[in-house]
Amino acid sequence: MEFTIKITNEELLKLILLQKKDNETNDVLEEPVKRSRGRPRIHEPKNPDAPRRPVGRPRKIKMNLGI
């Protein structure tokens, strides 16, 4: 089946401009995503306000077993 459609010059120009606008918007969406340098983070960054462990070896604890 074949159809014949009559289009005026103004309608043809409108169609061409619409196609051009669609192509321009598609080109912007197809840009590659910029990746950051180095390895990606696995763990979240440490909270600077969180309490810290004391430095050094822990103290020895005497335990009375009562034997």
Side-chain angles (χ1 to χ4, degrees):
M1 246 185 182
E2 292 185 22
F3 294 102
T4 313
I5 301 173
K6 292 185 179 180
I7 299 178
T8 62
N9 287 341
E10 293 174 3
E11 292 174 346
L12 182 62
L13 283 174
K14 286 181 184 178
L15 283 174
I16 293 171
L17 290 175
L18 282 174
Q19 286 290 80
K20 186 175 182 182
K21 286 182 183 177
D22 288 343
N23 289 342
E24 288 174 358
T25 55
N26 289 342
D27 291 342
V28 172
L29 296 176
E30 292 176 4
E31 288 183 11
V33 177
K34 271 197 166 182
R35 293 178 49 157
S36 59
R37 295 175 53 186
R39 280 178 86 152
R41 280 190 184 267
I42 297 174
H43 306 288
E44 60 186 31
K46 293 182 180 178
N47 183 3
D49 298 330
R52 299 182 181 183
R53 290 184 177 181
V55 180
R57 188 173 179 153
R59 294 180 172 227
K60 290 184 179 179
I61 299 174
K62 284 187 179 179
M63 295 184 77
N64 293 330
L65 298 175
I67 299 179

